[in-house]
């Protein structure tokens, strides 16, 4: 199953009289066409908004049902309107329409004498809208929306594949950094143990010093043990490896994995922070910083996945 991004765009048009809902360029007697656009960006949940023309608003529930059946997350905006076909002249108003508009204007000016007269452009627009009132766009709107949703899902799938490839690449880099960190801890413990032994030998040479050789040796061993415990990052590296394996499994599985991946990225960041806080050498600090940079890049991209 594919991984889907929440970012995408699609559009579709329909002219009355075309041979199918997907055909474009066919001219109808009304000189109008239906245009529909769908845009989506990332969001924690599915957030739908509609901007529909007056003649299409009654079809919003059907559009909402269609989209929620296919899209689960994202801020989705749907725009649809009936407009004049590109390149066509304005529809010529009939005499009856002109008489009706004139009568309506006279009625308005009776109550609102200061109201402005209708302009030629406004008359043509109202006449065109009146001429289109008989067109039922319901079936055509749903067919056009179905095609646009399919195109949107295809765009989100392509973007999701790109993000999945990037995430898998970052997982490989994190595994490489973890492998670099593993041998550092034993080396550091051994170096510190040698230092403690040197201090113990110095204490033995004191002879009449305030601390007996046995007490000095016990303290050196205690400090060495405490240091080893303090810088031991084996548990963090083990948990980090488990999180990386789970992230890779989810990406390859696909589907609605965005929320689970977001949680796992937070866990990765926690382990990288702990690794840095236990660092006793510049090399281990560098590994922790490099990990956090990669994890932050992954977090930004995971938030775009459905």
């Amino acid at each position: 199953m594919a991984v889907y991004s929440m970012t995408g765009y699609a559009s579709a048009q329909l002219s009355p009289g075309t041979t199918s809902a997907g055909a474009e360029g066919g001219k109808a007697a009304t000189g109008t066409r239906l245009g529909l656009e769908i845009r989506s960006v990332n969001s924690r949940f599915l957030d739908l908004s509609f901007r529909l023309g007056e003649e299409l608003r009654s079809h919003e529930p059907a559009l909402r049902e269609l989209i929620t059946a296919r899209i689960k997350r994202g801020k989705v905006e749907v725009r649809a309107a009936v407009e004049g076909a590109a390149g066509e002249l304005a529809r010529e108003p009939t005499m009856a329409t002109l008489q009706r508009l004139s009568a309506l204007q006279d009625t308005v000016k009776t109550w609102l004498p200061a109201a402005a007269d209708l302009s030629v452009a406004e008359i043509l627009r109202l006449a065109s809208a009146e001429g289109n009132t008989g067109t039922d766009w319901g079936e055509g709107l749903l067919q056009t929306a179905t095609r646009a949703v399919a195109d949107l899902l295809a765009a989100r799938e392509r973007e999701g594949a790109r993000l999945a490839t990037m995430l898998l690449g970052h997982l490989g880099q994190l595994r490489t950094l973890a492998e670099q960190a593993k041998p550092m801890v034993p080396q550091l413990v051994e170096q510190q143990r040698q230092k403690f032994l040197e201090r113990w030998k110095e204490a033995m040479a004191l002879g009449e010093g305030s601390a007996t050789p046995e007490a000095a040796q016990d303290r050196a061993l205690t400090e060495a043990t405490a240091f080893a415990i303090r810088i031991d990052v084996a548990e963090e590296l083990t948990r980090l490896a488990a999180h990386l394996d789970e992230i890779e499994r989810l990406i390859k599985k696909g589907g609605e994995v965005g929320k689970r991946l977001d949680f796992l990225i937070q866990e990765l960041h926690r382990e990288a922070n702990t690794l840095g806080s236990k660092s006793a050498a510049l090399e281990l600090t560098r590994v922790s910083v490099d990990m956090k940079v990669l994890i932050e890049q992954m977090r930004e991209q995971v938030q775009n996945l459905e």
Side-chain angles (χ1 to χ4, degrees):
M1 188 180 297
V3 174
Y4 289 89
S5 168
M6 286 187 282
T7 303
Y9 170 83
S11 65
Q13 294 79 38
L14 174 68
S15 296
T18 52
T19 57
S20 68
E24 296 183 13
K27 294 184 178 181
T30 59
T32 58
R33 69 177 180 182
L34 170 67
L36 185 142
E37 292 183 345
I38 304 181
R39 305 172 186 267
S40 69
V41 294
N42 62 316
S43 177
R44 293 184 62 189
F45 308 101
L46 179 60
D47 181 8
L48 281 176
S49 63
F50 294 88
R51 296 189 178 184
L52 306 178
E54 187 65 34
E55 57 275 84
L56 303 176
R57 289 180 183 173
S58 62
H59 303 292
E60 180 178 326
L63 283 176
R64 185 179 295 274
E65 182 179 355
L66 171 68
I67 293 173
T68 53
R70 302 291 304 278
I71 299 175
K72 303 305 179 184
R73 283 186 69 198
K75 182 176 177 60
V76 181
E77 180 182 5
V78 181
R79 295 172 179 259
V82 177
E83 51 195 23
E88 287 207 5
L89 296 175
R91 179 182 178 84
E92 182 178 353
T94 63
M95 184 62 66
T97 298
L98 292 175
Q99 290 174 346
R100 184 160 49 254
L101 290 175
S102 177
L104 289 172
Q105 178 175 261
D106 291 342
T107 300
V108 171
K109 292 182 72 67
T110 298
W111 295 95
L112 300 172
D117 293 337
L118 288 171
S119 66
V120 174
E122 290 170 336
I123 292 173
L124 292 176
R125 179 175 59 80
L126 292 171
S128 179
E130 184 181 58
N132 293 328
T133 54
T135 304
D136 182 9
W137 292 96
E139 182 179 355
L141 176 62
L142 292 180
Q143 292 176 350
T144 305
T146 299
R147 185 162 62 92
V149 169
D151 291 343
L152 177 68
L153 289 175
R156 286 167 58 133
E157 182 177 356
R158 290 192 298 270
E159 178 66 11
R162 186 188 69 80
L163 294 178
T165 300
M166 185 277 292
L167 291 172
L168 291 174
H170 279 31
L171 290 180
Q173 295 180 56
L174 286 171
R175 286 193 174 99
T176 299
L177 289 171
E179 289 298 321
Q180 293 176 6
K182 282 182 180 179
M184 292 182 184
V185 175
Q187 294 173 7
L188 291 171
V189 172
E190 178 60 25
Q191 292 174 6
Q192 195 67 17
R193 190 180 70 85
Q194 292 297 329
K195 291 181 180 179
F196 288 146
L197 287 175
E198 291 175 1
R199 290 173 58 186
W200 175 72
K201 291 178 181 178
E202 291 176 357
M204 289 285 290
L206 291 177
E208 299 298 328
S210 58
T212 64
E214 291 78 8
Q217 183 180 23
D218 290 342
R219 182 170 181 180
L221 291 175
T222 300
E223 291 184 4
T225 302
F227 177 78
I229 294 174
R230 188 169 64 252
I231 70 168
D232 184 18
V233 293
E235 291 186 8
E236 286 75 13
L237 292 176
T238 299
R239 287 194 295 266
L240 190 143
H243 295 329
L244 294 178
D245 291 342
E246 180 64 10
I247 290 173
E248 182 175 1
R249 186 189 69 81
L250 289 174
I251 292 174
K252 291 182 177 179
K253 174 186 175 184
E256 300 170 32
V257 297
K259 290 184 178 180
R260 294 188 65 183
L261 288 177
D262 191 33
F263 170 76
L264 288 170
I265 292 298
Q266 294 178 29
E267 294 301 306
L268 280 182
H269 200 273
R270 182 178 292 109
E271 302 303 338
N273 272 335
T274 304
L275 189 68
S277 65
K278 288 187 174 183
S279 174
L282 290 177
E283 293 82 359
L284 199 55
T285 301
R286 178 190 59 79
V287 169
S288 173
V289 171
D290 290 345
M291 280 185 173
K292 286 191 281 189
V293 170
L294 290 170
I295 292 169
E296 181 62 23
Q297 293 174 355
M298 293 175 67
R299 185 189 65 81
E300 292 176 358
Q301 300 305 326
V302 160
Q303 290 180 348
N304 289 321
L305 293 180
E306 186 177 50

